[in-house]
């Protein structure tokens, strides 16, 4: 019999397990609290459980399905990347980002990715396998433990790291100008945001990914607000339509990266399956059904998708003035200067071009920010996760 992985089990399933082990059902609640509130991943430390149960958990259940292989830090320790080994030996990565007013963890939903976007390190790996609900949840819990350890260390040291706050539009050039500009004024003592933007396409692993969303949201356990979670898709239309019907209002980000089908198909093979007209129609349906705004991610590549005429075409697309006819889409554009990937002969847009691109979008009435750069020196930034 394979050992149950505790992070794979809902509270009801834990109660079933406890019953099968001859325990009172309330033990499941105690165990659940240990896992998701106390962040315990060692049965020996679950002091409110009787010793025989702790021993049985140690021998007959698996607590943490992730083996930490390596962790790295950048940005004065405010960005932390973890490399984990999962059960078939595949490697995945997660990134913790500490800001003055929030703490975000970026988690993977697959080991590798089948989508093959040509600017992305993960896409070059191919798909190794889908992650389980427990493997997705465990990345968030790692981030919580890492944050807790950082805060203990911070309390013991007079040095206070400096960091940027606020919107990304003026500060993305962090590594060049030393943009970490503001001293920490207060400590956020828990992970406040989870973004499913690490390795993999979440909608290609929808069931397990959604189980992880529900687990993290569960008020009996981790209790993270649905609006504090964001899923990013490459543009898998059935997933977008399914999310529109989902019972939890989590945020949706769509990787767009090009304003026309010809270019987008060369960058992102998924566009041949779900071309822009279909993608934008699904997005419109999503915003109308859910009433929620969508974020479009747009990675900027020098000379490829960063020309002013492309900014104008993008603006028209989102304003409903070209192939996507109708009222302006309820949306926001997040520009991401491309992060280098070894062996990929592309380069990031110049700073002035990024700002020009942003201004054009704004002039057309499209809300637009530039993402704060984090973790590029440890290959933890967008598109750089490759399981090394
Ligand atoms: S950008 Fe996202 S969907 Fe595309 S290959 Fe990379 S991980 Fe996969």
């Amino acid at each position: 019999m394979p050992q149950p992985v505790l992070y794979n089990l809902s509270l009801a399933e834990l109660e079933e397990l406890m019953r099968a082990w001859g325990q009172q059902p309330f033990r499941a609640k105690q165990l659940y609290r240990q896992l998701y509130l106390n962040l315990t991943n060692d049965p020996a430390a679950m002091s409110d459980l009787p010793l025989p149960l702790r021993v049985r958990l140690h021998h007959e259940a698996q607590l943490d399905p992730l083996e930490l292989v390596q962790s790295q830090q950048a940005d004065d320790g405010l960005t932390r990347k973890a490399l984990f080994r999962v059960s078939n030996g595949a490697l995945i990565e997660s990134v913790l980002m500490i800001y003055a007013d929030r703490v975000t963890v970026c988690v993977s939903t697959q080991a590798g990715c089948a989508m093959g976007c040509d600017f992305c390190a993960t896409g070059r790996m191919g798909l190794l396998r889908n992650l389980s609900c427990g493997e997705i949840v465990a990345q968030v819990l790692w981030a919580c433990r890492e944050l807790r350890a950082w805060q203990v260390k911070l309390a013991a040291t007079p040095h206070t790291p400096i960091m940027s706050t606020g919107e990304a539009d003026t500060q993305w050039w962090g590594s060049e100008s030393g943009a970490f500009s503001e001293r920490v004024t207060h400590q956020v003592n828990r992970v406040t945001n989870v973004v499913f933007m690490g390795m993999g396409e979440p909608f290609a692993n929808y069931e397990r990914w959604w189980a992880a969303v529900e687990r993290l949201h569960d008020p009996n356990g981790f209790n993270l607000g649905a609006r504090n979670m964001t899923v990013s898709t490459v543009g898998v239309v059935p997933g977008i339509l399914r999310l529109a019907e989902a019972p939890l209002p989590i945020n949706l980000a769509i990787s767009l990266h090009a304003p026309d089908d010809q270019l987008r198909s060369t960058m992102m093979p998924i566009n041949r399956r779900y071309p822009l007209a279909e993608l934008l129609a699904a997005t419109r349906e999503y915003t109308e059904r859910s009433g929620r705004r969508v974020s479009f991610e747009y990675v900027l590549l020098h000379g490829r998708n960063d020309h002013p005429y492309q900014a104008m075409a993008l603006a028209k697309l989102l304003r409903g003035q070209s192939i996507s006819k109708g009222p302006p889409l309820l949306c926001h554009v997040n520009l991401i200067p491309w992060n280098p990937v070894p062996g990929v002969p592309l380069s990031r847009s110049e700073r002035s071009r990024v700002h020009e691109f942003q201004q054009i979008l704004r002039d057309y009435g499209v809300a637009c920010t530039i993402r704060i750069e984090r973790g590029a020196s440890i290959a933890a930034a967008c598109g750089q996760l490759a399981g090394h």
Side-chain angles (χ1 to χ4, degrees):
M1 279 277 285
Q3 292 188 337
V5 177
L6 296 187
Y7 291 142
N8 275 340
L9 305 181
S10 65
L11 180 56
E13 288 164 336
L14 268 186
E15 279 168 356
E16 232 170 80
L17 180 71
M18 290 297 103
R19 254 194 304 274
W21 283 11
Q23 299 287 331
Q24 298 287 340
F26 73 87
R27 294 292 182 206
K29 283 208 177 73
Q30 286 178 302
L31 182 52
Y32 205 66
R33 275 200 299 270
Q34 285 288 357
L35 296 174
Y36 297 107
L37 293 177
N38 299 354
L39 310 175
T40 316
N41 61 352
D42 176 5
M46 298 179 175
S47 53
D48 58 342
L49 298 183
L51 184 61
L53 178 55
R54 281 185 266 160
V55 171
R56 191 160 183 191
L57 284 168
H58 176 75
H59 289 294
E60 295 181 35
Q62 194 186 347
L63 257 86
D64 198 332
L66 306 178
E67 179 197 338
L68 182 65
V69 177
Q70 193 187 23
S71 64
Q72 289 176 282
Q73 298 181 13
D75 309 327
D76 259 342
L78 300 173
T79 304
R80 287 145 188 262
K81 181 172 84 162
L83 177 69
F84 298 109
R85 186 173 289 114
V86 292
S87 62
N88 68 339
L91 297 170
I92 63 161
E93 291 179 308
S94 320
V95 183
L96 169 66
M97 289 157 285
I98 303 166
Y99 301 89
D101 57 348
R102 65 193 188 281
V103 176
T104 300
V105 56
C106 176
V107 302
S108 299
T109 52
Q110 297 181 303
C113 183
M115 297 296 157
C117 305
D118 73 353
F119 50 85
C120 170
T122 313
R124 296 165 79 84
M125 296 170 63
L127 177 65
L128 303 176
R129 76 164 168 85
N130 286 327
L131 297 185
S132 67
C133 162
E135 287 164 340
I136 299 169
V137 167
Q139 295 171 65
V140 178
L141 300 176
W142 158 79
C144 295
R145 286 190 286 271
E146 188 75 9
L147 176 69
R148 196 165 59 182
W150 176 75
Q151 286 176 328
V152 168
K153 205 170 158 198
L154 194 69
T157 163
H159 169 70
T160 309
I162 49 178
M163 60 169 62
S164 79
T165 56
E167 280 306 305
D169 52 356
T170 57
Q171 304 223 4
W172 67 279
W173 219 249
S175 56
E176 232 187 37
S177 62
F180 297 110
S181 61
E182 191 175 305
R183 294 211 167 259
V184 179
T185 50
H186 67 278
Q187 291 179 34
V188 182
N189 62 5
R190 61 167 291 168
V191 165
T192 57
N193 297 79
V194 173
V195 296
F196 301 97
M197 296 185 179
M199 298 165 77
E201 162 56 49
F203 290 165
N205 186 20
Y206 198 102
E207 309 292 341
R208 295 180 185 96
W209 161 72
W210 186 257
V213 168
E214 289 187 320
R215 184 68 38 74
L216 294 168
H217 179 65
D218 187 352
N220 294 306
F222 196 72
N223 196 20
L224 183 68
R227 292 183 193 280
N228 295 64
M229 292 187 256
T230 301
V231 64
S232 174
T233 177
V234 74
V236 177
V237 164
I240 294 171
L241 297 176
R242 198 168 167 189
L243 188 67
E245 301 294 332
L248 295 176
I250 75 161
N251 304 307
L252 173 64
I254 298 173
S255 299
L256 205 57
H257 306 326
D260 62 80
D261 279 322
Q262 202 183 351
L263 176 60
R264 194 166 188 268
S265 292
T266 65
M267 295 171 71
M268 308 167 75
I270 190 76
N271 195 67
R272 290 180 215 129
R273 180 123 181 239
Y274 303 113
L276 277 170
E278 202 177 327
L279 173 59
L280 293 176
T283 307
R284 197 175 285 287
E285 203 172 322
Y286 170 88
T287 57
E288 284 169 5
R289 277 201 233 163
S290 68
R292 294 196 293 277
R293 187 175 81 156
V294 163
S295 282
F296 286 110
E297 314 280 320
Y298 195 100
V299 68
L300 280 163
L301 292 155
H302 173 73
R304 198 172 186 206
N305 65 353
D306 67 348
H307 293 283
Y309 78 86
Q310 289 167 316
M312 283 181 235
L314 177 63
K316 285 183 181 166
L317 200 63
L318 303 182
R319 298 286 300 171
Q321 294 168 5
S322 57
I323 53 170
S324 159
K325 291 263 184 278
L329 272 168
L330 192 55
C331 72
H332 164 268
V333 174
N334 200 6
L335 299 176
I336 308 169
W338 182 71
N339 295 299
V341 173
V344 176
L346 297 169
S347 54
R348 63 166 25 191
S349 304
E350 285 163 13
R351 183 181 189 170
S352 57
R353 184 52 76 82
V354 174
H355 285 285
E356 187 183 5
F357 203 95
Q358 180 188 35
Q359 195 53 51
I360 292 168
L361 287 171
R362 285 182 166 175
D363 289 347
Y364 273 86
V366 177
C368 176
T369 51
I370 301 168
R371 180 173 289 177
I372 296 174
E373 183 176 277
R374 274 296 188 95
S377 63
I378 53 170
C382 285
Q384 290 186 313
L385 302 183
H388 303 136

